[in-house]
Amino acid sequence: MDWAWAVDFGGTSVKLGLVDREGRLRAQSAFETRATPDVEAWVSRVERELRALSAAVDPAATPLGIGVGVPGFVDYGRGFIHDLTNVPGWAAVPLRDVLFHRLGIPAAVDNDANAMALAESRFGAGRGRRQVVFVTLGTGVGGGLYLDGRLYRGAHSMAGEIGHLSIDWQGAATPQGRGGLETYVGIAGLVRHAIGLLRAGRVSILTEWCEGRLEALTPKLLSEAAKEGDAVALECFNRMAAALGSALASLTYVLQPEVFVVGGGVAGAGETLFEPLRRELRERLSPHFASRVAVVPAALGADAGLVGAGALVWDLPELHKDGGES
Amino acid sequence: MDWAWAVDFGGTSVKLGLVDREGRLRAQSAFETRATPDVEAWVSRVERELRALSAAVDPAATPLGIGVGVPGFVDYGRGFIHDLTNVPGWAAVPLRDVLFHRLGIPAAVDNDANAMALAESRFGAGRGRRQVVFVTLGTGVGGGLYLDGRLYRGAHSMAGEIGHLSIDWQGAATPQGRGGLETYVGIAGLVRHAIGLLRAGRVSILTEWCEGRLEALTPKLLSEAAKEGDAVALECFNRMAAALGSALASLTYVLQPEVFVVGGGVAGAGETLFEPLRRELRERLSPHFASRVAVVPAALGADAGLVGAGALVWDLPELHKDGGES
């Protein structure tokens, strides 16, 4: 049995696993991100965890390589981490070379959204498609592009920043520009809009549920209120669907994917979000385009990052020198 | 000397030429589009013109293939024309097969914006780059994507419709959606905004130049007025630069091209457009992105469509079966 070592490096926890060629997780473990104060400690811990997983599954087997998804800016070509947004001490780290010298096996380092996009495209909700746009809706909005059957990373591996796509050229200015999607569609944007409606005196079950403490509002509460037919909650999701639908329409005109795969915590609202989202997308496209694109929920859940980190290894050119399918 | 037969099929004229592997036009001719009333007459005329060009340059040589750029929706994979926007009688035409059976050489059919994008990326202003976004500003706004060293066409070869990218999710509705770039940035949008300012009583040299007949306003007049420092004309170009800059910023976050190549009639305004466009793009991007992208004028002018049609041939897989560089 061939497998890759996979690491999903998050701001809170580091998840590790063995991933086979079909994207199956054979074993996994995790440790807290703050448990390893620097790069050296992190690499040692990662090596120890992965060797333990391998030994438990098949002591005689060697991993074909190691793939790592990280939360920040990466130069994929060099496997070089510019910086990680929420993890101190990780600026200018040549992680691919560090891992190769330490472990003696091929290594791939990419950002976590790309890893998730690869996993969902190849083994999840986009399986069998050649053009997939992956969108993750959480605190922020991230994305990844799977074009013509492979990850597209752009000129300096920063492509796919769908959260900064502008939906209003005259919108409020942020450090990333004006009217960026993330300001309307992320958790903060969703909750902010709901609080605005409640403060304006709109009647809603939400007032009772959060006992007047509006700062206790969450996307999950909003989603539950929407399922009960609460008008304020429904309005928040419909507005989110219109903003996101506008961005997906633009992406359809530019990239014509076969499918949008939408994941992340906010996507947990299910049809409360997907039904108006599909309608908004359809209404914002000409029939030639509207009839040829689908919007589906992500399928791999919290495993996407780990499965994708493993899949990065299978795409390494080093593994395809003798024809690949060994 | 190897060459491809190239055809740039426009709504007004059909241009023909011989294009070599380096994108040089060796000979060319043209006829009026209305001179050929149907597909059969068009194919006969095209064959006659191209054989005459070949005979004049080198009677012993055979073209390696024929490439055609057409103004409308094409399924590139099948070389099938769905319909041509401004040319009657061209719906559901399997042009690639028609040409192959008639001429006995490999044929490629793509839309004209893709042909221009390929020409500018490989031989024009994007030469040497691997990620180029081409934008053409004319009556409408068209585009083409050159990603990782080749044309990207999307799931059904309709990708690159940059003119329909939305810059205002709550903008005016059109059959293509809401707030599409083309409604702000095409010739009509530019002239409409100028007329609005003049009707509102703004003082401008344009009133005198068009002798009060505002319907006589053209992008060229506006460009000349801007060069004289006319405030109304400058405001029109600055607004256009902001709208286009917003779209290019979104495309940078999503695709991270190395360069935007901007062509078409309206781009003839030169620095009147490019200076504010570069400023707007820079201000709408975070430094990580702003410092890694350029905006340049197209270099091939009216030849881009013809050169690109020839370049389509060189990309055909049939020509690369024995290793390619023969």
Side-chain angles (χ1 to χ4, degrees):
Chain A
M1 168 54 64
D2 284 344
W3 61 60
W5 277 351
V7 185
D8 179 11
F9 188 170
T12 308
S13 68
V14 178
K15 294 189 271 185
L16 308 102
L18 312 185
V19 177
D20 72 14
R21 192 185 289 274
E22 280 73 43
R24 285 179 296 242
L25 264 171
R26 313 298 298 190
Q28 57 179 307
S29 67
F31 61 85
E32 285 189 10
T33 301
R34 62 180 178 185
T36 53
D38 56 29
V39 176
E40 171 58 28
W42 186 92
V43 171
S44 295
R45 179 70 183 262
V46 162
E47 180 178 12
R48 197 165 75 237
E49 296 276 348
L50 288 169
R51 290 203 189 282
L53 287 178
S54 278
V57 173
D58 178 356
T62 321
L64 293 188
I66 178 167
V68 186
V70 306
F73 271 126
V74 177
D75 179 339
Y76 172 78
R78 294 188 290 142
F80 181 89
I81 296 176
H82 291 297
D83 53 74
L84 301 187
T85 315
N86 296 312
V87 191
W90 280 80
V93 178
L95 186 62
R96 189 189 62 184
D97 292 350
V98 168
L99 290 170
F100 176 73
H101 289 302
R102 177 77 165 245
L103 306 171
I105 54 176
V109 180
D110 206 340
N111 76 60
D112 49 5
N114 274 354
M116 288 189 279
L118 181 59
E120 287 288 349
S121 300
R122 205 161 279 165
F123 306 114
R127 188 174 192 131
R129 312 288 194 152
R130 285 179 52 80
Q131 284 86 19
V132 180
V133 173
F134 172 73
V135 184
T136 172
L137 305 172
T139 308
V141 175
L145 311 178
Y146 187 77
L147 305 181
D148 289 344
R150 54 192 186 154
L151 277 183
Y152 173 77
R153 296 180 173 91
H156 302 278
S157 34
M158 296 175 188
E161 288 284 347
I162 290 168
H164 302 326
L165 184 154
S166 169
I167 61 169
D168 183 357
W169 68 304
Q170 296 173 316
T174 70
Q176 286 80 34
R178 286 187 178 277
L181 179 63
E182 190 168 281
T183 58
Y184 300 81
V185 159
I187 289 177
L190 183 69
V191 169
R192 194 188 319 119
H193 190 69
I195 290 176
L197 293 177
L198 297 175
R199 289 230 166 98
R202 291 280 298 275
V203 176
S204 165
I205 198 173
L206 290 163
T207 315
E208 184 185 322
W209 283 4
C210 62
E211 295 170 344
R213 292 179 304 110
L214 297 185
E215 65 280 9
L217 265 183
T218 61
K220 193 153 185 300
L221 271 185
L222 276 165
S223 165
E224 284 165 12
K227 275 166 195 151
E228 306 245 330
D230 183 78
V232 164
L234 285 170
E235 184 176 325
C236 289
F237 279 104
N238 288 342
R239 177 176 183 272
M240 180 175 177
L244 184 55
S246 176
L248 298 196
S250 291
L251 290 168
T252 304
Y253 280 128
V254 173
L255 295 174
Q256 199 180 38
E258 294 169 87
V259 66
F260 289 100
V261 174
V262 183
V266 180
E271 288 304 303
T272 302
L273 171 64
F274 282 89
E275 191 277 322
L277 177 57
R278 292 190 185 104
R279 187 184 63 237
E280 288 284 348
L281 178 59
R282 200 166 55 237
E283 289 174 358
R284 289 164 185 272
L285 289 172
S286 66
H288 263 316
F289 284 86
S291 61
R292 291 175 169 90
V293 68
V295 181
V296 301
L300 301 177
D303 288 341
L306 203 47
V307 170
L312 289 171
V313 174
W314 300 110
D315 278 6
L316 282 171
E318 296 94 305
L319 298 191
H320 299 276
K321 271 180 184 155
D322 344 296
E325 297 301 307
S326 63
Chain B
M1 169 53 66
D2 283 345
W3 61 59
W5 278 351
V7 185
D8 179 12
F9 188 169
T12 307
S13 69
V14 178
K15 294 189 271 186
L16 310 101
L18 312 185
V19 177
D20 72 15
R21 192 184 289 272
E22 279 73 43
R24 284 180 297 242
L25 263 171
R26 314 298 298 189
Q28 58 180 306
S29 67
F31 62 86
E32 286 188 9
T33 302
R34 62 181 178 185
T36 52
D38 56 29
V39 176
E40 171 59 27
W42 186 92
V43 171
S44 295
R45 178 71 182 263
V46 162
E47 180 178 13
R48 197 164 75 238
E49 296 276 347
L50 287 170
R51 290 203 187 283
L53 287 178
S54 278
V57 173
D58 179 354
T62 321
L64 294 189
I66 179 168
V68 186
V70 306
F73 272 126
V74 178
D75 179 339
Y76 172 79
R78 293 187 292 143
F80 181 89
I81 297 176
H82 290 297
D83 53 72
L84 301 187
T85 316
N86 296 311
V87 191
W90 280 81
V93 179
L95 186 62
R96 189 188 64 183
D97 291 349
V98 168
L99 290 170
F100 177 73
H101 289 302
R102 177 76 165 246
L103 306 172
I105 55 176
V109 180
D110 206 338
N111 76 60
D112 50 6
N114 273 355
M116 288 188 279
L118 181 59
E120 287 289 350
S121 300
R122 206 162 279 165
F123 307 115
R127 187 173 193 133
R129 312 288 194 152
R130 284 178 52 80
Q131 284 86 18
V132 180
V133 172
F134 172 73
V135 184
T136 173
L137 305 172
T139 307
V141 175
L145 311 178
Y146 187 77
L147 305 182
D148 288 344
R150 56 192 184 151
L151 278 182
Y152 174 77
R153 295 179 173 92
H156 301 278
S157 32
M158 297 174 186
E161 289 283 348
I162 291 167
H164 302 325
L165 184 155
S166 171
I167 62 169
D168 183 356
W169 68 305
Q170 296 174 315
T174 69
Q176 285 79 35
R178 287 186 179 277
L181 178 64
E182 189 168 283
T183 58
Y184 300 81
V185 158
I187 289 177
L190 184 69
V191 169
R192 193 188 319 119
H193 190 69
I195 289 176
L197 293 176
L198 297 175
R199 289 231 167 98
R202 290 281 298 275
V203 175
S204 165
I205 199 174
L206 289 163
T207 315
E208 184 185 323
W209 282 4
C210 63
E211 295 170 344
R213 291 179 305 110
L214 297 185
E215 65 280 9
L217 266 183
T218 61
K220 193 155 185 301
L221 271 184
L222 276 165
S223 165
E224 285 165 13
K227 275 165 195 151
E228 306 245 332
D230 183 78
V232 165
L234 285 170
E235 184 175 326
C236 290
F237 279 103
N238 288 343
R239 178 176 182 273
M240 180 175 177
L244 184 55
S246 176
L248 299 195
S250 291
L251 289 169
T252 303
Y253 280 128
V254 174
L255 296 174
Q256 198 180 40
E258 293 169 86
V259 66
F260 289 100
V261 174
V262 184
V266 179
E271 287 304 302
T272 303
L273 171 64
F274 282 90
E275 191 276 321
L277 177 56
R278 292 190 185 104
R279 188 184 63 236
E280 288 283 349
L281 178 59
R282 200 168 53 239
E283 290 174 357
R284 290 165 185 272
L285 289 172
S286 67
H288 263 316
F289 283 87
S291 61
R292 291 175 169 89
V293 68
V295 181
V296 301
L300 301 177
D303 288 342
L306 203 48
V307 170
L312 289 171
V313 174
W314 300 111
D315 278 6
L316 281 171
E318 296 94 305
L319 299 191
H320 299 274
K321 273 182 183 154
D322 346 296
E325 297 300 307
S326 64

